[in-house]
Structures are given as structure tokens and as C-alpha cells.
Amino acid sequence: MSPTAQPDPQPDSQPDPQPDSQPDRQPDPQPDPRSAPRPGALQPLLPSDPSSIAGYRLLGRLGAGGMGVVYLGRTDNGELAAVKVTHADQADQADFRARFRREVEAARRVASPWAVPVTGADPDAPEPWMATAFVPGPSLGEAVSAHGPLPERSVRILGGALARALAAVHEAGLVHRDVKPGNVLLAVDGPRLIDFGIARTTGESALTSTDMVVGTPGFLAPEQAEARGAEIGPPSDVFALGCLLAHAATGRPPFGTGAVDALLYRTVHDEPDLTGVPEGLLDLVRACLAKDPAQRPTAEEITARLTEDTPGTAADWLPASVVRTIAERSAAMLTLPEIDATELGASDPVDQPTPNRRKFLLLAAGGAVLAAGGGIGAWAALPDDDKDRKATPPPKKERHWVIGVHADLTGPAKDIGIAQERGAQLAVEAFNARKDRPFTLELKVSDDGGDKNRALAAARELTGDPDVLGVLGPTSDYTGLAALPAYDEALLPLITVSAGLNLLTNSGSGQGLSVLQICPQHAIAGTGLAYYVLTKTRSIRPGILQERTDDTYAWQYTGGTNFVFRRANVRPVPRVVPAGTTDYKRVLGEMMAEGMDAYVHCGLTPSAVLAARALDELGFTGMRVTGQHVFEPRFLMEAGDAAEGWILGAPVVDPATRKEASAFVAAHRKRYGAAPAFYAGESFDAVNLMVQEVVKIVRSGKRPDRTALAPLLRKVRYDGVMGGYVFDGSGAIDAVGTFMYAVENGRYKPLEFAPAGPPKNRQV
């Protein structure tokens, strides 16, 4: 966003989010989030894709990434498989085939009904491939994210089955090393453990460096977190299983979320947060999470403690909402492209009555769904389509569409949420006042109260209304992340003007498929602060303080500023302080003693207030800057005179500085009796951006399809009353987008846009 045109391009690359001190970590081979399919969806084959591989007829794409492509394949007898094919350039790497061959061999050595079996492989092919039985259900991580924690009985059955799978892994002389929710698929007859890509034989020398952290932070044992390779063994998988069971029972990892280095530190030094784990499971989970590997139970011992429940063949071990997801995905397998009718039987299908969905499943026994491990239990939980499908309501004579607002109207960010609702309301009223409008608009508001536990329900209130074409919001980072599964599932466009968390559009798991961020992501905003310091001062030792109340936000700002200072060959004075720190005078005094000549605060308002007071008492005269989450009236009120002279970066422009916004400001005053608050103008623009594209569709004679709207919006350049907007392929704003303010006489005085690159007199 810019006042007249786009700012200068961003830095050459995205900021490095990893702190310098973090050990190397082998990245998981995940799909590119900018092109990943909707979770559970089958995407069409591309012209460059083969039609078959080694007897598997390829029906579509399940996912793709830097390592290769995963296809859905079918054998001549109707069995489905996930066929993983690597890129030829990967296969040419010296150690790649050794790693791939090891993955195939590891998976083949595991004999368990709760581990997905290998059905074919060729590590020596020009493009190595491996096929495993296809499971149409969601991953555990996806199910918990979309439907909430599992009940105790479900967790017990889950734990018992996975313990059996791990017992088979360990009996084969292997260690899985990456037991996490994303590597557990849910089927009606029980879970399945997948992905032996980084498994290794007990005592085997790793093909990676000895100081490399391998696996997924948050689901690693302490010995893995510290890369103590010689100590990694079966107890490491048991620790990960304990983390997974805690996540399944509570909806959150036991060591929290946020910066990777913080997760690794907590895993090694802190006790897990097991609040909410059912009493009947608490002792077992706590034992699995013992810091000392010798104190953890074995997989066989866990199995013995969870023998009273077994999945059987029915779907009742899972909540109904998860069963429905499995059933819907199983149904999709019955409509796979180009399945020959003769394969259903010898009779001419034209002479047969059209079966309903349940009958068709029975005809396909031994084919798509049953071969996929889906069973028929899922269908028993669903009504017959012919009897219970609701009739489609007749079209309205006078068509109207709805714009949703998902906001915090009653919680900690209610001032921002109310401003966003008002901006959206004015956009809708302005559209409805047009004589040439091709339809009418309504506004539908859903309040999450700033509570991430309410966010998913608030989102479903909007996604469940078929007339809602797009949504403004959510207000906050973590309510946005919690609501994301609902918007992804509906493919409903979501434009946020205040949630800058990079995970909303760049999670690495195919999330954020419909999200557009008008505000810059926090790491990019951090680069803006650093460039501003370099542009306006001659700083050679800027201080960077990372305060961990909101770990992810602070870490991303720190990463952005560090990136810029390193490229400018400027060596900062760093400090990281835990949440609850109060003695800022001591911490900042030490930083001044090390030569700090400018100060960047990466934290929230309460700690910024303490830092402002401490720097004032210490007589610090250098530039003091901070970011979005301190840009609020509270900082001015609580810091008082100590706030004077601070520079703050925010993703919003003061409407009073924009002549293009004069009509909007006047309308706001007339409607609400006051000048628009920050974030109202950007919300006004966001709604108009969505409406502009819907009008184009309607005037072309087509019916708006909300599931196809987000890709169109990402390609649009829009000039609104607050500036210009253009997006990159992931939906993030393609600009720095940070506006700078100075505290002057107890108010925020607008300055200018943050620079998008280094000053001309700096060598970066």
C-alpha cells in the first residue's frame, strides 16, 4: 500500500527467520503453500504429468513440492495408492538415492495394520518412485484444527494403535524420528502412521550432519532438540507420541508454539503444559514426556496400558464431525475421473437402475473406498442422500450478496475490530447508494471476542451462509490462524488488514488458500523498521530486544531487523528476555554499556512501556522504534512523557493525510459522529476491492463463484482511498506497507512510509 503508487521493491529475498544461534534443521519436504491444493482435494493432472507409472494409472495430484509430486494412482484391480515421484534433478544428487532407498526399505520393514504399507517402489528409476496404500481421511493435525480436540476414548484408541505401530517400527530395528499429527492419517477403522522419510536404523550413522536437528519442533524429544545423535532411539519416538497425544486431547502442543529456537529450548528445559489432558491419560502422557529417555515407557508398555479399547471396524471411535470428513472424501473416490463402467461388473450399466450412494459403495467393494482403508463404517453414520438431502432454495427475484466481517468487537482488540466493522459498513452503504448497482449488498458480522477458542465457530457462521462472497478479517493473528481451517474448507476469500502472521499465507501445509493480507507480514514490517533506522541515523550498534510474551510476533520482527542489519554489515546488540521481565533498566543498561546507539523493541505494549521508562531514566538519546502491536493508545497513556520521540511502524495510514479519503472521512463523521479510527480506511478499501471484482463477474453475465474469487483478487491492482494495493502469489501484500509515526505531544504524528530498501549512502 502506498499513498500514490507502490513503494520501492522489497529486499532481494525474504528475511531469514532463523536466529543465528539456531542449529541447522533438515526441512520437511512440504508442498509450496502458494500452489498446494485444498487439504484432501484431488487436483487435475498437468499436461506435463505422466498418465501412468509402473502399472499405476494416475488419476490426479494429491500434492506437490520442491522434492516431487504425490499422485493418486489406481491399479487394474481398482486399488488406490499414493504414488510419490521425485524430480529427476533430486535423483541426480549424490546422496539422494541412498536416502530414498532407505525410506523405502524402512517402510517395507514395518509390519503393522496401523502403519501405511508400501505397495510398490523403484529407487533406481530415472525418477525414483514409491507407492503406499491410499487413506482418504484427514491427518490428525487437520482434524484437530478443523473440529477441535478429540474425546478421551478417541485419544486412548489413537494412542493404543499408534503405540502398536511404533512397537512394529522398533521391532524392525528402526526409529521413526518424526511422529507428529501431520504424519497420522485417520480412517474409520483406526489411525495410520505414515512417512518414514527420516527414519533410520538404531545405531546407524545419519546421512546428515551430526549437529543437525531432524524432525518437527514441538514434537521432538530433548535428545533430538539438542541433536544428540547417539542418544536418539525408540524412547525418542515415545516422547513424540506423548506430545501427539497431548495435542490430540487439548488441541495444542504441550510445549507451545512460536519461534523454533524457543520450542527447542522449552522441550529441553521446561515442563510440558498438560492442562486439559483427561485424568485417565495424564500419568501416561507425563511418563512419555520424561526428559530422561530411560524413564519413558516402551511402545509395548503403552500398548499394554491402552488395551481396553480397540477401533474394531466401526467409525464410532471418532467424533461424528471427523467421520463426516472421512465420508465426504471417500465419496470423492467414487467419482474418480474416467473409471471404466465395465469394471463394476459384467452387466451393461445402462440396463441397471441408478444406485444411491450407499448402494454404489457396496457395488464397489474391493475397489476405491474399501481398498483405501475407508471401510463402510463412515457411511453408516450418514443419512441416505435420496431421503435427507435438503432442497435447494429457489433463486431470489432481487439478488443480493453478503460481505462478512469477522472481527474482535468485544475483546482486547475491540477498538480495531469496531473500526474495521465501521469501514466495511460504509463501503456497503456507499455501494447500495449507487443507482447503477447490479445487485444489493448486506453486511454480516461475526464477533470472536479476540478469543482463538471462539474463532473457528465465528468463521463457520460466515462460511455456512452461501450468500457470503467474501470476508473482512479477522482482527488478530491467532484468531485468524484458528479460523483458517473453516475458510480453507469453504475456499471463501478472506482479506485481513491487521493480522500480519506469516502462517496465514505461508504455513507450508497448503493453508491460507483464500487469504489476502493488506497489512505487511511481521517479518517484512521488521525490515521496514531496520531500514528506517539506517536511513535516518548513522547507527553502527543498534540494539534489538526480543520480548517473548507473543513469541512468534517478536521472533518475526527480530528476524526482519536482523536480516537488514546483517546485510548492511551492521552488528547489532541483541537481547532476548522472557515474558514477565520487569527489570528493563538493568537489561537496557547492559545494552548501552555494549555501545547501543539505537533501539528496536520487538515485543508488546506492556514491555514497550517498561522499556520506554527505563531508557528515559537511563538518559538514552538514540532512536527508539517499535512495531504494529505497540501502535495503540495504551502505549501513549501508560508510557506518558517517556513515549515522546518514539517511532512506531504500523500497517495503516492516517485518513486525514489523504485527500483521496476526504469523502470517506466526511461520510464517517456523518454516520458515526467522529473521524475514522485507524484501520477503518483500509477496511473500506478491502470491501470495495472484493465488490469491484464481483461487479465485473455479474456484469459479464456470470454467477459469482466465491471459491474462484480469491485467485482473481490476488492478481488485481486496486487503487483505494488509502492507497494502492497489489499482492504476490501467496496473497501477501507485495510491498513493505509500513507507515511511520512519531510520538509528539502525546499523539501519533504521521511521518512517511517506511523505506523499502537501504539508503543510497549505505552499502548493503
Side-chain angles (χ1 to χ4, degrees):
M1 180 177 62
S2 70
T4 55
Q6 288 302 111
D8 295 335
Q10 324 185 50
D12 297 9
S13 61
Q14 295 289 329
D16 178 6
Q18 306 294 342
D20 293 336
S21 61
Q22 183 187 329
D24 292 334
R25 175 177 178 259
Q26 177 173 303
D28 296 328
Q30 296 174 327
D32 182 348
R34 301 184 182 188
S35 61
R38 174 183 176 182
L42 181 66
Q43 299 296 301
L45 294 173
L46 300 179
S48 58
D49 288 327
S51 60
S52 64
I53 292 177
Y56 292 92
R57 179 183 175 190
L58 303 185
L59 305 174
R61 283 175 163 234
L62 293 170
M67 299 290 290
V69 182
V70 181
Y71 299 102
L72 179 64
R74 181 172 62 84
T75 64
D76 290 340
N77 63 8
E79 294 180 353
L80 296 178
V83 184
K84 176 180 178 180
V85 182
T86 60
H87 294 314
D89 57 348
Q90 296 285 341
D92 290 340
Q93 296 178 13
D95 64 345
F96 178 82
R97 288 185 185 274
R99 293 202 310 268
F100 192 87
R101 184 176 292 104
R102 187 179 64 177
E103 177 182 356
V104 172
E105 293 172 352
R108 279 177 164 165
R109 288 167 64 177
V110 178
S112 171
W114 313 120
V116 174
V118 173
T119 59
D122 187 356
D124 298 314
E127 292 186 323
W129 62 271
M130 177 175 68
T132 59
F134 176 69
V135 180
S139 71
L140 173 64
E142 185 185 346
V144 171
S145 179
H147 305 292
L150 299 181
E152 180 176 356
R153 178 172 179 267
S154 298
V155 178
R156 295 184 69 86
I157 293 174
L158 174 77
L162 293 180
R164 290 176 175 87
L166 287 177
V169 170
H170 300 159
E171 185 178 353
L174 299 170
V175 185
H176 189 284
R177 298 201 300 169
D178 201 19
V179 179
K180 62 181 180 180
N183 279 344
V184 174
L185 301 180
L186 302 181
V188 292
D189 59 345
R192 301 291 192 278
L193 182 65
I194 65 171
D195 197 351
F196 291 82
I198 61 174
R200 82 175 194 207
T201 303
T202 305
E204 174 191 8
S205 297
L207 293 179
T208 54
S209 63
T210 57
D211 60 348
M212 181 175 288
V213 177
V214 180
T216 303
F219 296 90
L220 295 177
E223 57 271 22
Q224 289 177 278
E226 292 191 319
R228 305 195 303 264
E231 299 178 35
I232 297 173
S236 305
D237 286 344
V238 169
F239 188 97
L241 178 61
C243 294
L244 181 145
L245 295 179
H247 178 268
T250 66
R252 65 182 189 281
F255 296 100
T257 59
V260 174
D261 60 331
L263 283 175
L264 299 179
Y265 181 89
R266 293 187 205 122
T267 300
V268 175
H269 300 288
D270 293 353
E271 291 302 314
D273 178 6
L274 300 181
T275 305
V277 174
E279 189 67 30
L281 289 168
L282 191 57
D283 288 344
L284 176 60
V285 172
R286 187 177 286 119
C288 291
L289 298 180
K291 303 295 185 188
D292 182 357
Q295 299 300 315
R296 300 170 200 155
T298 64
E300 291 84 354
E301 290 169 344
I302 296 172
T303 299
R305 295 174 66 170
L306 296 173
T307 53
E308 61 268 34
D309 287 307
T310 56
T313 58
D316 63 354
W317 78 280
L318 287 169
S321 58
V322 180
V323 173
R324 181 165 293 277
T325 298
I326 297 173
E328 289 169 350
R329 296 187 182 182
S330 298
M333 297 302 103
L334 299 179
T335 55
L336 291 172
E338 301 177 10
I339 292 182
D340 298 331
T342 55
E343 293 186 11
L344 293 177
S347 300
D348 186 345
V350 177
D351 298 331
Q352 300 297 326
T354 302
N356 63 31
R357 191 168 63 185
R358 186 180 296 156
K359 292 176 182 176
F360 187 68
L361 177 67
L362 296 177
L363 287 174
V369 176
L370 295 185
I376 63 172
W379 298 95
L382 295 178
D384 218 333
D385 283 353
D386 298 339
K387 299 177 182 178
D388 299 301
R389 183 185 295 128
K390 294 182 179 179
T392 303
K396 299 177 176 65
K397 293 182 180 179
E398 295 182 3
R399 192 50 168 139
H400 80 284
W401 296 105
V402 179
I403 296 295
V405 175
H406 181 161
D408 174 6
L409 301 177
T410 54
K414 64 181 180 181
D415 290 342
I416 297 176
I418 291 170
Q420 292 169 346
E421 179 191 12
R422 289 180 174 182
Q425 184 65 52
L426 287 174
V428 168
E429 291 175 0
F431 178 82
N432 287 337
R434 289 170 48 179
K435 294 182 180 180
D436 64 340
R437 68 181 188 274
F439 51 85
T440 59
L441 276 179
E442 295 179 11
L443 200 69
K444 184 171 185 176
V445 181
S446 189
D447 176 20
D448 62 27
D451 183 351
K452 62 183 181 181
N453 295 317
R454 293 170 51 186
L456 189 60
R460 293 202 186 282
E461 182 180 348
L462 298 174
T463 60
D465 184 342
D467 287 340
V468 174
L469 290 181
V471 176
L472 170 72
T475 303
S476 305
D477 288 339
Y478 301 107
T479 56
L481 196 60
L484 200 55
Y487 293 112
D488 271 350
E489 182 179 345
L491 289 179
L492 181 62
L494 181 71
I495 301 183
T496 179
V497 301
S498 53
L501 192 67
N502 68 338
L503 295 177
L504 293 173
T505 59
N506 191 26
S507 69
S509 60
Q511 293 186 157
L513 303 177
S514 299
V515 179
L516 290 87
Q517 289 175 308
I518 280 182
C519 59
Q521 294 181 349
H522 296 317
I524 299 299
T527 68
L529 297 188
Y531 281 135
Y532 194 82
V533 170
L534 295 179
T535 301
K536 301 299 182 180
T537 75
R538 300 300 303 173
S539 174
I540 58 173
R541 292 302 309 278
I544 304 175
L545 186 137
Q546 177 182 344
E547 181 266 310
R548 282 184 157 167
T549 299
D550 184 337
D551 220 3
T552 303
Y553 165 82
W555 167 62
Q556 290 185 358
Y557 261 85
T558 300
T561 54
N562 257 323
F563 168 80
V564 170
F565 290 141
R566 287 200 306 268
R567 285 175 59 87
N569 295 318
V570 171
R571 187 164 62 91
V573 179
R575 284 294 186 279
V576 179
V577 297
T581 297
T582 58
D583 190 2
Y584 276 83
K585 189 172 181 179
R586 178 186 61 80
V587 175
L588 296 174
E590 293 174 355
M591 296 173 72
M592 290 174 62
E594 293 181 32
M596 179 177 74
D597 55 15
Y599 176 69
V600 183
H601 187 86
C602 302
L604 304 184
T605 297
S607 61
V609 169
L610 294 175
R613 292 173 180 169
L615 289 172
D616 196 45
E617 292 179 23
L618 291 166
F620 182 72
T621 58
M623 179 177 282
R624 293 145 291 164
V625 300
T626 189
Q628 176 183 345
H629 285 353
V630 183
F631 184 72
E632 58 177 342
R634 181 183 175 188
F635 177 66
L636 300 177
M637 292 185 293
E638 296 185 7
D641 291 342
E644 290 293 310
W646 273 66
I647 306 294
L648 293 92
V652 287
V653 179
D654 184 350
T657 66
R658 294 276 297 160
K659 64 180 182 179
E660 295 87 349
S662 57
F664 163 72
V665 172
H668 194 285
R669 285 188 179 276
K670 182 177 180 180
R671 178 74 162 78
Y672 297 108
F678 290 114
Y679 296 97
E682 285 76 14
S683 300
F684 180 84
D685 281 350
V687 171
N688 281 322
L689 167 60
M690 287 188 278
V691 173
Q692 169 186 274
E693 294 309 301
V694 175
V695 169
K696 290 179 183 178
I697 295 169
V698 171
R699 286 183 172 163
S700 72
K702 299 178 181 178
R703 178 185 176 90
D705 177 4
R706 69 184 192 179
T707 67
L709 189 54
L712 295 177
L713 295 174
R714 289 179 175 180
K715 298 177 182 178
V716 169
R717 162 64 190 263
Y718 179 72
D719 292 313
V721 301
M722 305 304 291
Y725 307 87
V726 67
F727 305 93
D728 67 15
S730 72
I733 191 168
D734 196 9
V736 171
T738 297
F739 201 80
M740 307 305 295
Y741 293 82
V743 179
E744 188 174 293
N745 297 322
R747 302 182 66 180
Y748 291 119
K749 176 185 176 182
L751 298 175
E752 56 192 321
F753 266 86
K760 293 181 180 179
N761 60 345
R762 289 270 191 170
Q763 181 65 40
V764 177

